[in-house]
Amino acid sequence: MLIPKHIYTNNLNMIALVLCGGQSTRMGSDKGLLQPNAKTWAATAADILAAQNLSVQFSVNPHQVEYYSQFFTATDLIVDDETLAVHGPLLGLLSAHLQNPNKNILVLACDMPLMQSGLIKELIVAAQQHKNFDAWLYKNNHQPEPLCAIYSYHALASILHLLKEGKLYKHSMKFMLEQINPYFITVQEQQEKCFRNFNSHA
């Protein structure tokens, strides 16, 4: 998709969030801190997001703070809010929302090291052009890609309300998407590799 220069501007009142808070059980070590090249996967994801002139923060669980503080400043870390009765990526997303209640959030999982900056830019443009939606994300082989997406702050507020009312019956990102109004971009065949997430050394 060719993006006209007059359309693309970062005026979405938005921060970027690298999701690093998983348990990395299958990988056997913290995926965000894997360093196959010069940079960790978390830093690679941050560079992709920062290329869009976004302020980048990192979603981590309490056990990761000590280790991530060796690579990133403490103010850039958003620690999972353990008062929230939720788990998985949604916990990281809602924890970031609580700290940035008036900001839209662009998320990218740290285990998508093949992601390209152009796809992030396309998400931002979609959010600018299709404002009457709650979230903007890709659909890959008919399946949503919720860990490379933009979520509006009002949608996150409604999800948080459902959680507090005991009406968020599942904590999956897919179920969360069913409660809001998302806009989807179809992943082209040549782009599919960018959405590969790596869960094991194999």
Side-chain angles (χ1 to χ4, degrees), residues 100-119:
N100 302 273
N102 299 311
K103 296 282 189 180
N104 301 321
I105 300 178
L106 194 164
V107 301
L108 178 62
C110 68
D111 61 357
M112 289 185 178
L114 303 183
M115 181 53 60
Q116 295 179 354
S117 182
L119 290 169

Side-chain angles (χ1 to χ4, degrees), residues 111-166:
D111 61 357
M112 289 185 178
L114 303 183
M115 181 53 60
Q116 295 179 354
S117 182
L119 290 169
I120 301 300
K121 182 182 290 187
E122 189 171 350
L123 267 183
I124 295 173
V125 172
Q128 292 173 320
Q129 295 180 333
H130 305 278
K131 296 181 179 180
N132 296 325
F133 290 84
D134 297 322
W136 301 264
L137 63 158
Y138 288 94
K139 186 168 281 189
N140 188 2
N141 289 315
H142 307 291
Q143 296 298 318
E145 292 281 358
L147 302 186
C148 177
I150 297 173
Y151 296 96
S152 68
Y153 66 86
H154 57 84
L156 294 175
S158 69
I159 294 299
L160 187 61
H161 178 73
L162 288 176
L163 176 64
K164 292 182 176 180
E165 293 291 314

Side-chain angles (χ1 to χ4, degrees), residues 172-188:
S172 70
M173 297 294 285
K174 182 178 180 181
F175 182 76
M176 184 268 284
L177 287 171
E178 293 171 358
Q179 314 309 308
I180 60 177
N181 183 28
Y183 177 85
F184 291 104
I185 304 170
T186 300
V187 173
Q188 303 302 311

